[in-house]
Amino acid sequence: MTRHLHLNAFLMSTGHHEASWRLPESNPFANTEVEHYRELARIAERAKFDSIFFADSPVLLGDIGRRPAGSLEPTVLLTAIAAATSRIGLIATASTTYNEPFNLARRFASVDHVSGGRAGWNVVTTAGPEAARNFNLSDQPAHAERYERAAEFLEIAFKLWDSWEDGAAIADKAAGVWGDNERVRPIDHLGRHFQVRGPLNLPRAPQGYPLIVQAGSSEDGKGLAARYAEAVFTAQQTLADAQAFYADLKARTSALGRDPDGIKILPGIVPVIGSTETEALALERELDELIKPEYARAQLARTLRVSPDDLPLDQQLPAELPDEDEIEGAKSRYTLIVSLAHREKLTVRELIGRLGGGRGHRTFSGTPEQVADAIQDWFDQGAADGFNIMPAVLPSGLVAFAEHVVPLLQERGLFRREYEGTTLREHYGLARPVGRTSSLQEATA
Amino acid sequence: MTRHLHLNAFLMSTGHHEASWRLPESNPFANTEVEHYRELARIAERAKFDSIFFADSPVLLGDIGRRPAGSLEPTVLLTAIAAATSRIGLIATASTTYNEPFNLARRFASVDHVSGGRAGWNVVTTAGPEAARNFNLSDQPAHAERYERAAEFLEIAFKLWDSWEDGAAIADKAAGVWGDNERVRPIDHLGRHFQVRGPLNLPRAPQGYPLIVQAGSSEDGKGLAARYAEAVFTAQQTLADAQAFYADLKARTSALGRDPDGIKILPGIVPVIGSTETEALALERELDELIKPEYARAQLARTLRVSPDDLPLDQQLPAELPDEDEIEGAKSRYTLIVSLAHREKLTVRELIGRLGGGRGHRTFSGTPEQVADAIQDWFDQGAADGFNIMPAVLPSGLVAFAEHVVPLLQERGLFRREYEGTTLREHYGLARPVGRTSSLQEATA
Ligand SMILES: Cc1cc2nc3c(=O)[nH]c(=O)nc-3n(C[C@H](O)[C@H](O)[C@H](O)COP(=O)(O)O)c2cc1C
Ligand SMILES: Cc1cc2nc3c(=O)[nH]c(=O)nc-3n(C[C@H](O)[C@H](O)[C@H](O)COP(=O)(O)O)c2cc1C
């Protein structure tokens, strides 16, 4: 059987390049305009992408001078997009650290109902003290604590999604019996972080539950992914690193008794496409020259936990930096940035340029052929089951990818020409989860 | 100036009559089908209703045999409907007891952005111990405590909605400055229930903030409404009661220095419409005969805090019942039911029939003329600024109201023939709130 690759379109206002909003073509208010996102979703759907995706964090961070700031809440945004599309999957990010399981499980089940089985949830634990301060805390819970809470949160969500058996609503008009009380059961969850009685106040969703996506690459993050995730977004700079990550995560998944094909690994790629390589490089340069380094340096200083003055633009990173162990925020992102700088001996200015394009994701500038080759290369060499496509500029970068790269991938037999299924999980070649109310009941008892 | 009345369509699966789902015409799975609700919204919009509305509670209560159970989360549902409509207002219920202010403020602001200024929030405190058990508690917080939390929750929401000044996004491409940091400020809220730093991660919404609706009629509920609400839903059985409630709430609003016209009072009415009075009464009887009294008796027993066995169907309510003071759940609903039963000397069976139609709201069966008269009567006599229309059967009851009652109200000059504004607040004749970031800053300092 030929393996097919999966494509997710990671959407973000005017594009992933931090200076994209400054281009003449860009609508700088796109971040709050639903029509902008509907149009992007339609482009991705015409190209038969598996899904679109929105990142999210419940906090306004940093300097709003830098780039379009603020964003629509992703489940609301995806619901607004659902109406303008019919097949493409819709993946929203939501935090297990700053939500209640009952509310969030219900919201994702609702999006799945409303979209006819197209919902996915990128489960994140939300790094950083700033978000905590919007939720009655003075600092973030420790990294390990956040991941422990995430695991319990997911267990509750699964129990709630399965608290109604399929077909529990029998709607017997003659007898006057709408639902079968025997097939809808409380979950009586009592754990370290939560106490949730259930059942959910919503019949089982078309997909049973949303596709579970995960995006943290620390040890704890990989542990959570291996146990629960069906798709994983990851930032990988080199083929070797990506292969190691891929092999590691598949092995962890197998070790837990799961089918390693049941978890799809999607590294990010920021393609900058030109009809010639020179044109692509010129576009990349145009974008990089629009970056104002003072914005990025302040953010880099925050990530590295040093002062901006410790980061002269034309010197390499200071020798003394904290270990990943000491980082309570986003561990894997921290390590990725530091190793990129060290490996390539980048100055702060160069590092900022690299991060400005893809925030740590692999950037790749070239012709459609070259981009298709870069994708096929990692796919063939055990580094990816598909890709998280992060256009530097939107909509134009997505249009270029859809019109020029996707046809090449189709010609090479790597990518679908038509959707075969109607649900998000079908696009990723995954089976609808069987309800497990009864077995859960036994496990809890 | 002629006063115009306001109409809100209160939507609920197959209708407000508990047996409506058993009619041959009803789709018993409508409660989770977005197309059903889109169609209802289009009907209401064609008839120029001010708004549609969904009630909500984050818990599955009672016997799912009784009637369609479970519902889509209202902000998701309204977003799905927004795309199918262009003018009608969209009011969702959400609980201040079981949400976090940052998340909910952002979600309503998002719905307002996505719908072009059509969002409203029915602020409820959620009665009953069952919901509490889905949120880490073993019982509900006390009634007064819930309302105190609600007031603080609203204060935070206002501050967050105003944390971006209008026009804070300047998008100066040439200078590379997207937003003006001086016009987006943390709120630094520190109160008894919450600690929220802010600012919101979303620019100010088209309406500034959603229309604030309130629906509790206890003393505390009226206090909250007088301070914050722009529209109030209320269940009133008699003209005298409705007049007293209306006068009381307008007076409380004035006493707080607010314009009493700034709060619109909308009693509920469950119209059962026939082309003759006989036909309307026959439809009402048909529906009542489909009620299975054992379902309703169990719920009534729960509300009254007695055992079902204490409620023989053909006797009146027991003499010994708790005082409203002892009720920690929905106080005003409790009192309404007990006084209705006492006033009209109803047997349990008769009381169940009355509640089965409208759950305590005024039911009215008659011709379109009679329904229009009933509406005009209360409107003219100081009992209402408009009505919460609760069709017994959906869609047919809404179609009948839209096609036969609305034209009469229009002919009488009581109701609009066309929308004049584009936002929900404009439909209700209310001004867009001025941002108050700076004054708040001073107040907090
Ligand atoms: C493609 C991609 C998207 C991500 N999106 C988010 C996001 O939207 N919100 C978030 O809090 N974290 C997001 N993350 C980051 C991780 O979830 C984050 O690192 C997490 O807070 C902790 O990860 P760790 O396990 O690496 O410490 C994303 C990561 C990747 C690779
Ligand atoms: C038309 C109408 C709709 C209502 N919708 C809800 C609702 O959706 N959710 C809810 O918890 N309470 C709802 N309520 C009830 C009040 O908010 C409820 O009584 C509240 O929990 C406490 O009210 P009290 O002030 O009367 O004790 C509604 C009331 C009315 C009149």
Side-chain angles (χ1 to χ4, degrees):
Chain A
M1 212 190 83
T2 22
R3 267 172 84 221
H4 283 104
L5 71 79
H6 300 281
L7 294 178
N8 174 65
F10 181 175
L11 305 179
M12 179 178 277
S13 64
T14 54
H16 285 271
H17 195 288
E18 69 163 276
S20 56
W21 71 274
R22 297 184 67 188
L23 292 178
E25 72 184 67
S26 292
N27 168 6
F29 302 111
N31 58 318
T32 50
E33 291 181 8
V34 68
E35 209 33 71
H36 171 72
Y37 292 110
R38 288 209 179 104
E39 181 55 25
L40 295 175
R42 283 187 287 249
I43 293 164
E45 186 170 73
R46 276 197 300 271
K48 316 300 175 198
F49 272 66
D50 295 70
S51 47
I52 60 171
F53 160 66
F54 292 101
D56 195 57
S57 193
V59 63
L60 185 74
L61 272 185
D63 190 322
I64 70 160
R66 184 177 184 182
R67 56 169 298 165
S71 54
L72 300 164
E73 192 282 320
T75 61
V76 166
L77 178 54
L78 284 174
T79 301
I81 290 171
T85 54
S86 62
R87 300 295 276 275
I88 196 163
L90 308 164
I91 302 174
T93 296
S95 171
T96 53
T97 307
Y98 304 115
N99 277 290
E100 283 291 332
F102 190 92
N103 288 338
L104 201 62
R106 183 179 181 210
R107 209 148 82 241
F108 275 103
S110 296
V111 177
D112 204 52
H113 275 286
V114 161
S115 64
R118 296 190 283 140
W121 171 20
N122 178 36
V123 180
V124 301
T125 59
T126 311
E130 296 84 359
R133 296 189 190 119
N134 288 335
F135 297 91
N136 310 323
L137 299 173
S138 50
D139 199 357
Q140 62 187 329
H143 191 268
E145 179 86 3
R146 294 203 308 278
Y147 271 103
E148 188 190 282
R149 179 179 156 119
E152 188 180 334
F153 196 117
L154 271 166
E155 288 291 343
I156 297 166
F158 289 127
K159 292 184 202 174
L160 287 171
W161 288 323
D162 285 341
S163 62
W164 288 61
E165 290 183 19
D166 288 319
I170 49 184
D172 184 339
K173 288 183 178 182
V177 178
W178 185 80
D180 180 350
N181 288 298
E182 300 295 307
R183 295 162 74 188
V184 178
R185 300 186 195 83
I187 66 166
D188 289 322
H189 175 90
L190 178 56
R192 204 167 95 70
H193 298 266
F194 301 104
Q195 191 173 342
V196 180
R197 176 125 212 279
L200 197 61
N201 54 350
L202 191 53
R204 198 156 188 265
Q207 290 191 105
Y209 50 82
L211 184 83
I212 302 298
V213 182
Q214 202 278 343
S217 298
S218 64
E219 282 300 302
D220 287 337
K222 284 189 281 196
L224 191 80
R227 260 167 86 190
Y228 301 108
E230 297 166 282
V232 171
F233 298 145
T234 177
Q236 301 293 338
Q237 286 281 337
T238 68
L239 175 62
D241 283 353
Q243 286 168 323
F245 179 85
Y246 186 95
D248 179 25
L249 197 48
K250 294 279 179 171
R252 287 175 194 249
T253 303
S254 293
L256 291 171
R258 292 181 59 201
D259 176 0
D261 271 353
I263 183 167
K264 306 297 181 191
I265 300 178
L266 311 179
I269 182 169
V270 182
V272 178
I273 302 167
S275 51
T276 62
E277 193 176 332
T278 316
E279 195 184 304
L281 291 170
L283 174 54
E284 188 183 349
R285 203 169 39 248
E286 182 189 354
L287 281 164
D288 285 350
E289 279 166 7
L290 289 172
I291 294 179
K292 301 217 318 184
E294 51 281 29
Y295 291 138
R297 185 165 66 163
Q299 185 189 10
L300 184 62
R302 220 169 34 232
T303 305
L304 301 180
R305 307 208 309 184
V306 300
S307 135
D309 298 334
D310 296 336
L311 301 174
L313 282 171
D314 296 302
Q315 293 179 25
Q316 293 183 29
L317 292 190
E320 294 287 301
L321 285 173
D323 263 9
E324 179 175 307
D325 288 353
E326 297 167 44
I327 299 293
E328 285 301 332
K331 286 183 187 283
S332 58
R333 179 168 168 76
Y334 174 79
T335 301
L336 181 145
I337 291 173
V338 174
S339 13
L340 169 66
H342 289 163
R343 187 175 59 244
E344 307 194 13
K345 303 206 193 326
L346 302 175
T347 63
V348 167
R349 191 188 302 278
E350 288 164 341
L351 180 60
I352 283 171
R354 290 288 284 277
L355 297 177
R359 298 189 318 286
H361 288 264
R362 176 189 183 201
T363 51
F364 188 93
S365 302
T367 63
E369 282 285 349
Q370 290 171 322
V371 172
D373 290 348
I375 283 176
Q376 179 162 9
D377 189 37
W378 282 33
F379 180 67
D380 285 345
Q381 297 198 55
D385 296 311
F387 289 84
N388 201 11
I389 306 299
M390 304 168 56
V393 185
L394 287 167
S396 62
L398 184 63
V399 171
F401 190 91
E403 292 184 357
H404 302 294
V405 180
V406 167
L408 297 175
L409 298 172
Q410 289 168 331
E411 280 162 30
R412 299 179 191 183
L414 294 171
F415 192 59
R416 70 173 70 81
R417 290 178 186 275
E418 259 316 324
Y419 290 110
E420 285 164 22
T422 60
T423 70
L424 171 54
R425 205 172 260 109
E426 285 166 350
H427 302 335
Y428 281 99
L430 301 165
R432 179 174 191 269
V434 175
R436 41 176 188 167
T437 319
S438 354
S439 55
L440 274 177
Q441 285 301 105
E442 282 157 34
T444 322
Chain B
M1 213 191 84
T2 20
R3 268 171 83 220
H4 283 102
L5 71 80
H6 300 282
L7 294 178
N8 173 66
F10 181 176
L11 304 180
M12 178 178 279
S13 66
T14 55
H16 285 271
H17 194 287
E18 69 162 277
S20 56
W21 70 274
R22 297 183 67 190
L23 292 178
E25 73 184 64
S26 292
N27 169 6
F29 302 111
N31 57 318
T32 51
E33 292 181 8
V34 68
E35 210 31 72
H36 170 74
Y37 292 110
R38 288 209 180 104
E39 180 54 25
L40 294 176
R42 283 188 286 249
I43 293 164
E45 186 169 75
R46 277 198 298 272
K48 316 301 175 197
F49 273 66
D50 295 70
S51 47
I52 60 171
F53 160 65
F54 293 101
D56 195 57
S57 193
V59 63
L60 186 72
L61 271 185
D63 190 324
I64 70 159
R66 183 177 184 182
R67 56 170 298 164
S71 54
L72 300 164
E73 193 280 322
T75 61
V76 167
L77 177 53
L78 284 174
T79 301
I81 291 172
T85 54
S86 61
R87 301 294 277 276
I88 198 163
L90 308 164
I91 303 173
T93 296
S95 171
T96 53
T97 307
Y98 303 116
N99 277 289
E100 282 290 334
F102 191 92
N103 288 337
L104 201 62
R106 183 181 182 209
R107 208 146 84 242
F108 275 103
S110 296
V111 177
D112 204 51
H113 275 285
V114 161
S115 65
R118 298 191 280 141
W121 172 20
N122 178 35
V123 180
V124 301
T125 60
T126 311
E130 296 84 359
R133 294 187 192 121
N134 288 333
F135 297 92
N136 310 322
L137 299 173
S138 50
D139 198 359
Q140 62 187 328
H143 190 268
E145 180 86 4
R146 295 204 306 278
Y147 271 103
E148 187 191 283
R149 179 179 155 117
E152 189 180 335
F153 196 116
L154 271 165
E155 288 291 342
I156 296 166
F158 289 127
K159 292 183 202 174
L160 288 170
W161 288 323
D162 286 341
S163 63
W164 289 60
E165 290 183 20
D166 289 318
I170 50 184
D172 184 339
K173 289 183 178 183
V177 178
W178 185 80
D180 180 350
N181 288 297
E182 300 294 305
R183 295 160 75 186
V184 178
R185 300 187 195 82
I187 67 165
D188 289 322
H189 175 91
L190 178 55
R192 204 167 94 70
H193 298 265
F194 302 103
Q195 190 171 342
V196 179
R197 174 125 213 279
L200 197 61
N201 53 350
L202 192 52
R204 198 157 189 266
Q207 290 190 106
Y209 50 82
L211 184 82
I212 302 297
V213 182
Q214 202 280 344
S217 298
S218 64
E219 283 299 302
D220 286 339
K222 284 188 281 194
L224 192 80
R227 259 166 86 188
Y228 300 108
E230 298 167 280
V232 171
F233 297 146
T234 179
Q236 301 292 337
Q237 286 280 338
T238 67
L239 175 62
D241 283 354
Q243 286 170 324
F245 178 85
Y246 186 96
D248 179 24
L249 198 48
K250 296 278 179 172
R252 286 175 194 247
T253 304
S254 292
L256 291 170
R258 292 180 60 203
D259 177 359
D261 271 353
I263 183 166
K264 305 297 180 187
I265 300 178
L266 311 178
I269 181 167
V270 182
V272 179
I273 302 167
S275 51
T276 61
E277 195 178 329
T278 316
E279 195 184 304
L281 290 170
L283 173 54
E284 189 183 347
R285 202 166 41 247
E286 181 189 355
L287 282 164
D288 286 350
E289 279 166 7
L290 288 171
I291 294 179
K292 302 217 317 186
E294 51 281 29
Y295 291 138
R297 186 165 65 164
Q299 185 189 12
L300 185 62
R302 219 167 38 233
T303 303
L304 301 179
R305 307 209 307 186
V306 299
S307 138
D309 298 335
D310 296 336
L311 300 175
L313 284 171
D314 296 304
Q315 294 179 24
Q316 293 183 28
L317 293 190
E320 293 288 300
L321 285 173
D323 263 7
E324 178 176 306
D325 287 352
E326 296 167 45
I327 299 293
E328 284 301 334
K331 287 183 187 282
S332 56
R333 179 170 168 75
Y334 173 80
T335 301
L336 181 146
I337 291 173
V338 174
S339 14
L340 169 65
H342 288 164
R343 187 177 59 244
E344 305 194 14
K345 303 205 193 326
L346 302 175
T347 64
V348 167
R349 191 187 302 277
E350 288 164 341
L351 179 61
I352 283 171
R354 291 288 285 276
L355 298 176
R359 299 190 317 287
H361 288 265
R362 175 188 182 200
T363 52
F364 188 94
S365 302
T367 63
E369 283 283 348
Q370 288 172 323
V371 172
D373 290 348
I375 284 175
Q376 180 162 8
D377 188 37
W378 282 33
F379 179 67
D380 285 345
Q381 297 198 54
D385 295 312
F387 289 84
N388 200 12
I389 305 299
M390 303 169 55
V393 185
L394 287 168
S396 61
L398 184 63
V399 171
F401 190 91
E403 293 184 356
H404 302 294
V405 180
V406 167
L408 296 175
L409 298 172
Q410 289 169 330
E411 280 163 30
R412 298 180 191 184
L414 295 171
F415 193 59
R416 71 174 67 82
R417 291 176 187 274
E418 259 316 324
Y419 290 111
E420 283 164 22
T422 59
T423 70
L424 171 54
R425 205 172 261 108
E426 285 167 348
H427 301 337
Y428 280 99
L430 301 165
R432 180 174 191 268
V434 175
R436 40 178 189 166
T437 319
S438 354
S439 54
L440 274 176
Q441 285 302 103
E442 281 158 33
T444 322

